[in-house]
Amino acid sequence: MDTETRVGLLKPVGLFRSLNGAALTALAEAAREHVVPRGEAMFQQGDEATHGYVLAWGRVRLDQVTAEGQNIVIRHLGPGDMVGMVAVFRRMPFPATPVALEDCMALGWGAGRFAELMAAYPPIAQNAIAAVGGRIEELQSRLQEVATQRVEQRIAATLLRLANQAGRKTDAGVEIPFALSRQDLAEMTATTLHTVSRTLSAWDQEGVVDSRRSSHLVIRQPHRLVEIAGHA
Amino acid sequence: MDTETRVGLLKPVGLFRSLNGAALTALAEAAREHVVPRGEAMFQQGDEATHGYVLAWGRVRLDQVTAEGQNIVIRHLGPGDMVGMVAVFRRMPFPATPVALEDCMALGWGAGRFAELMAAYPPIAQNAIAAVGGRIEELQSRLQEVATQRVEQRIAATLLRLANQAGRKTDAGVEIPFALSRQDLAEMTATTLHTVSRTLSAWDQEGVVDSRRSSHLVIRQPHRLVEIAGHA
DNA sequence: CGCACGTTTGATGGACATCAAGGATTGTGG
DNA sequence: CCACAATCCTTGATGTCCATCAAACGTGCG
């Protein structure tokens, strides 16, 4: 892939907002391409954070396993999202494993090289803080959810969040454009696949969502979900 | 307070690590002092983030109220911690309210001025990212706890975390050096004060903690708490 | 004193995990 | 094209952790 194409990929990325052409070119030239086939991990939780990435195409699920072996889904990532950058800045091992849900391509930079680039182009750091701050807010709101809301509300909130981040509008409603098993949803909402299944079944029957027909879930009545999510 | 004293306060702050004297002096001169008496808030959740702060003395509890009026404790802050900085970077309203648990003093900077300083002294941005990354990790681990562990384990983990952040070693054990109501602990662990009370009562009787004698809780057998916290 | 506030402790119930078993869908090899 | 695994999903029965409801108890303070 040539530099120009890469610049085109980097331009709309939040992390690189308000950088001039020279900066983008420098970044593009320093980047290494990193192709990850569907189902594989970009790296493993616990690995040393030698490289940071920006996702160019595809979708990634960020998993974390607890000391006791339980799995929780931290978040989903799409094109333009940073992957592993925070760990690089902190010089700490990666705290989670990013698993490709589709064939993915990421651009990566070595830790040292990226630090140089960041020093040379200050807006990167500002953007990084803003991006990381966004994650904090999301985590805090999830913490609030798990702490104070019941399962049904959490599932609704999670579906809405996914729809916001990656939803595609169709005539039937909003479609979540990747496979999403009950197990996945359970790990996102801190519950079991059984409860998720029961809840979705009920919503299916009420016509709120369509989770049985295709492998991609469709939200048919977003306003109902909002209602459920907000109903203390 | 003169500039030199301020520089002394700023020097050990993580956010300003590896800054030279000139930078620290510039920061110290630009800072505004902000005294907050015990029990009052530094600012209110929802306020516009015009200033960011670094806590110089005292302890602060960071509260967030949900849309439904429930209160949850995000975290506790001590000397050297950033307060409201992330909101400033993001140009968003403050997402939480910091309440002084003791008489506090913070140094604050206006958003615009701080941005200038950050551009002039790049290490600040790097340190900020590292600090914010640390918060992310803490939030993720709390999310994991709330999602996968039971109340008793969460209370144990919370006490240990508080002891780590602010504990004082005494001959009787590790003391948590500020008042900590059952309600506070409940909001930190996502449970009710009733359950906290029951749990602490049990631990009191087993001699694991001493929560009844003084107003400051004392952990008498930290290893037992570690055991309880880790016991899946 | 008497009121306010935090705490303790008991009784009850409900939300949800767990246990259990069967059904649907997809892919694979004969 | 069918048999068969292998997954994933659904649905029922049971159990339990913990929230909720309720009431009494200490303790400090105006």
Side-chain angles (χ1 to χ4, degrees):
Chain A
M1 190 161 63
D2 63 5
T3 302
E4 206 161 320
T5 314
R6 288 187 183 175
V7 169
L9 283 174
L10 295 181
K11 208 179 181 62
V13 170
L15 184 58
F16 305 127
R17 180 162 48 189
S18 64
L19 286 181
N20 57 32
L24 289 172
T25 306
L27 279 161
E29 280 171 354
R32 201 177 61 138
E33 288 174 32
H34 199 73
V35 174
V36 187
R38 171 182 170 163
E40 295 201 3
M42 290 178 62
F43 48 76
Q44 294 293 325
Q45 176 174 349
D47 285 358
E48 197 195 343
T50 57
H51 290 259
Y53 304 88
V54 164
L55 195 57
W57 319 316
R59 300 234 125 238
V60 163
R61 192 189 59 218
L62 202 54
D63 286 345
Q64 191 173 46
V65 296
T66 73
E68 294 97 38
Q70 287 205 55
N71 201 36
I72 74 169
V73 176
I74 303 281
R75 59 199 308 260
H76 283 248
L77 304 168
D81 280 327
M82 306 187 290
V83 186
M85 284 287 187
V86 174
V88 170
F89 295 138
R90 302 188 66 214
R91 301 161 203 285
M92 299 280 282
F94 291 120
T97 303
V99 178
L101 297 176
E102 317 164 350
D103 291 344
C104 287
M105 203 275 279
L107 293 170
W109 295 268
R113 188 86 187 83
F114 197 77
E116 287 167 31
L117 289 162
M118 217 164 64
Y121 306 108
I124 300 178
Q126 306 244 10
N127 293 332
I129 295 173
V132 171
R135 286 210 204 165
I136 288 201
E137 218 155 89
E138 189 186 317
L139 280 170
Q140 283 182 356
S141 101
R142 283 190 60 191
L143 192 59
Q144 232 185 41
E145 279 171 22
V146 176
T148 66
Q149 306 194 324
R150 341 213 206 119
V151 169
E152 198 183 29
Q153 302 173 348
R154 302 205 298 266
I155 298 175
T158 301
L159 288 182
L160 289 172
R161 179 156 38 229
L162 286 173
N164 255 335
Q165 288 174 356
R168 247 205 291 273
K169 213 156 196 164
T170 72
D171 48 356
V174 182
E175 177 184 335
I176 290 173
F178 47 87
L180 188 67
S181 73
R182 314 286 145 134
Q183 180 67 39
D184 291 337
L185 263 175
E187 284 167 2
M188 278 184 259
T189 50
T191 180
T192 63
L193 76 162
H194 306 276
T195 304
V196 172
S197 179
R198 282 181 235 273
T199 307
L200 288 185
S201 289
W203 289 347
D204 250 321
Q205 291 196 345
E206 295 171 31
V208 179
V209 303
D210 186 348
S211 70
R212 266 191 249 251
R213 301 226 161 276
S214 98
S215 65
H216 291 183
L217 188 145
V218 175
I219 302 175
R220 309 182 69 144
Q221 302 179 29
H223 63 287
R224 276 286 296 142
L225 272 195
V226 171
E227 215 173 286
I228 294 171
H231 199 308
Chain B
M1 190 161 63
D2 64 6
T3 303
E4 205 162 320
T5 314
R6 288 188 183 174
V7 168
L9 284 173
L10 295 181
K11 207 180 182 65
V13 170
L15 183 60
F16 304 127
R17 180 161 50 189
S18 65
L19 286 181
N20 57 32
L24 288 172
T25 304
L27 280 160
E29 280 171 352
R32 200 177 61 138
E33 289 175 32
H34 199 73
V35 174
V36 187
R38 173 183 171 162
E40 295 202 2
M42 291 178 61
F43 48 76
Q44 293 294 326
Q45 176 175 348
D47 285 357
E48 196 194 344
T50 57
H51 290 260
Y53 304 88
V54 165
L55 194 57
W57 318 317
R59 302 231 125 240
V60 162
R61 191 188 60 217
L62 202 55
D63 286 345
Q64 191 173 46
V65 296
T66 72
E68 294 96 38
Q70 287 206 56
N71 201 36
I72 75 168
V73 175
I74 303 282
R75 59 198 309 259
H76 283 249
L77 304 168
D81 281 326
M82 304 188 290
V83 186
M85 285 287 187
V86 173
V88 170
F89 295 137
R90 305 188 65 214
R91 298 161 204 286
M92 301 277 284
F94 292 120
T97 304
V99 177
L101 297 176
E102 318 164 351
D103 290 345
C104 287
M105 203 275 278
L107 293 171
W109 294 267
R113 189 82 187 84
F114 198 77
E116 286 167 32
L117 289 163
M118 217 164 63
Y121 307 107
I124 301 178
Q126 305 244 10
N127 293 332
I129 295 172
V132 171
R135 286 209 204 165
I136 288 199
E137 219 155 270
E138 188 187 319
L139 281 169
Q140 283 181 356
S141 100
R142 283 190 61 191
L143 192 58
Q144 235 185 38
E145 279 171 23
V146 177
T148 68
Q149 306 192 324
R150 337 210 210 128
V151 170
E152 198 182 30
Q153 302 173 354
R154 301 205 299 265
I155 298 175
T158 302
L159 288 182
L160 290 171
R161 183 160 28 233
L162 286 173
N164 256 334
Q165 287 174 356
R168 249 204 291 271
K169 214 159 194 160
T170 71
D171 49 355
V174 181
E175 176 185 336
I176 290 173
F178 47 87
L180 188 67
S181 74
R182 315 286 144 137
Q183 179 67 37
D184 289 337
L185 262 176
E187 283 167 3
M188 277 183 260
T189 49
T191 180
T192 62
L193 76 163
H194 307 274
T195 303
V196 171
S197 179
R198 282 181 235 273
T199 307
L200 288 185
S201 290
W203 288 348
D204 250 321
Q205 292 195 345
E206 294 172 31
V208 179
V209 302
D210 185 349
S211 69
R212 266 191 253 249
R213 300 222 164 279
S214 98
S215 65
H216 292 182
L217 187 146
V218 176
I219 302 175
R220 309 182 68 143
Q221 302 179 28
H223 64 285
R224 275 287 295 142
L225 273 195
V226 172
E227 215 173 286
I228 294 171
H231 199 309

